[in-house]
Amino acid sequence: MSKWLRSGRRRDVCFLLAAAEEGELRGQQLKSRLESHYDDRLEPKSFYGSLSALVDAGFVEKRTEGLHDVYALTDGGERRVREHFEWVRGCLEDGDETVG
């Protein structure tokens, strides 16, 4: 498993981007959605550090739109999200078979 998937926050950021209607979100939108999901405030330095790590690793791309940074998954990021989703689904399906 790739190191980025072991970080829950990075993984969650990628899943939010994969689920975004336009396929991209502004940094503040991402942060707000994560805070809502976690029901907790995220420190901006830590949050944007996670985003930068994803950009540096090539899983997320960043572009500037006016005053805002906009983030989207790269093809590699999308592939990893789908692989992880399939792994999770397999774990859940395997767990269902052993119950009963």
Side-chain angles (χ1 to χ4, degrees):
M1 177 185 303
S2 169
K3 188 174 183 175
W4 75 277
L5 287 174
R6 288 184 273 170
S7 165
R9 180 178 296 165
R10 293 178 193 176
R11 185 178 51 243
D12 292 347
V13 164
C14 290
F15 272 85
L16 285 173
L17 289 171
E21 281 187 37
E22 303 286 322
E24 61 185 29
L25 290 168
R26 292 179 179 175
Q28 187 57 46
Q29 289 173 308
L30 273 169
K31 186 174 178 293
S32 293
R33 290 179 188 194
L34 276 180
E35 287 175 334
S36 177
H37 176 67
Y38 296 161
D39 196 25
D40 197 13
R41 182 181 179 280
L42 300 174
E43 290 297 324
K45 184 176 180 179
S46 176
F47 170 74
Y48 285 102
S50 294
L51 275 176
S52 291
L54 288 167
V55 170
D56 292 345
F59 296 116
V60 171
E61 61 188 12
K62 171 184 159 183
R63 67 179 172 78
T64 302
E65 185 179 277
L67 298 174
H68 306 282
D69 290 333
V70 179
Y71 298 88
L73 285 178
T74 62
D75 290 341
E78 185 172 341
R79 183 176 61 253
R80 294 293 179 98
V81 166
R82 294 196 181 283
E83 289 171 357
H84 190 74
F85 174 77
E86 291 302 323
W87 178 76
V88 169
R89 182 180 11 212
C91 289
L92 293 173
E93 289 172 355
D94 289 346
D96 288 343
E97 292 176 12
T98 60
V99 174

